[in-house]
Amino acid sequence: MRANYSLITTLPTVFTVDGDLAGDGVTLLAEWLWPHLLTGPPDTLVDLALASTIDTAGLDLLVAARTYAAHRHIPLHIINAAPRVLRVLHAAGVSALPGRSPRAEFATTTAATPAPRQHTAAVMA
C-alpha cells in the first residue's frame, strides 16, 4: 500500500481580531501573526468579523503580511471584513473576503473535521 501525500491536508491557523484593528489591537495581532508567518505555515486566516474600523497601522500590518506571505508562497486570507474595512483594504490592494455571516467564509474554506487553532487579538479600548 502506498500513501498519497497529496490527500493529506492541514487546517489553517485562524487569527481572530477581537475589536477594531487599531492601536493596541494592531500591536497584539502583529505579535502573534509575524512569528507565525516566519515559520512558513501551510495556511493562515485573519478573521476581521469584529473589526468595524482599521487605522493606518492596521492597514500597514496587513499590507506587509500579505506581501511577505505572497513572497514566501504562503496562503494568507483575510476574511469577514466589514464594508468599511473592506473598502480600505481593496483601496490598498489587499484582497479580502467580505463578511456575510460570522465564519461564513471560514466554513467554506476548511474541512469540517477538527477545529483549527485560534489566536485572538483582543483590542484594549
Side-chain angles (χ1 to χ4, degrees), residues 9-125:
T9 59
T10 57
L11 295 175
T13 300
V14 180
F15 292 91
T16 301
V17 176
D18 189 20
D20 292 333
L21 193 53
D24 291 339
V26 176
T27 304
L28 189 55
L29 179 60
E31 288 174 358
W32 284 95
L33 185 60
W34 280 117
H36 173 74
L37 288 177
L38 291 172
T39 65
D43 203 3
T44 303
L45 301 173
V46 177
D47 187 346
L48 299 179
L50 299 176
S52 59
T53 61
I54 185 170
D55 68 3
T56 55
L59 181 61
D60 287 345
L61 171 63
L62 293 179
V63 168
R66 290 283 297 171
T67 301
Y68 179 78
H71 172 73
R72 295 272 319 270
H73 305 289
I74 299 169
L76 173 66
H77 307 284
I78 300 168
I79 61 170
N80 292 326
R84 174 188 285 176
V85 174
L86 188 63
R87 283 191 300 273
V88 171
L89 291 172
H90 283 181
V94 177
S95 63
L97 296 173
R100 286 181 246 139
S101 64
R103 310 276 189 245
E105 287 82 8
F106 175 75
T108 61
T109 58
T110 62
T113 20
R117 297 175 294 171
Q118 290 215 2
H119 301 284
T120 302
V123 175
M124 305 283 185

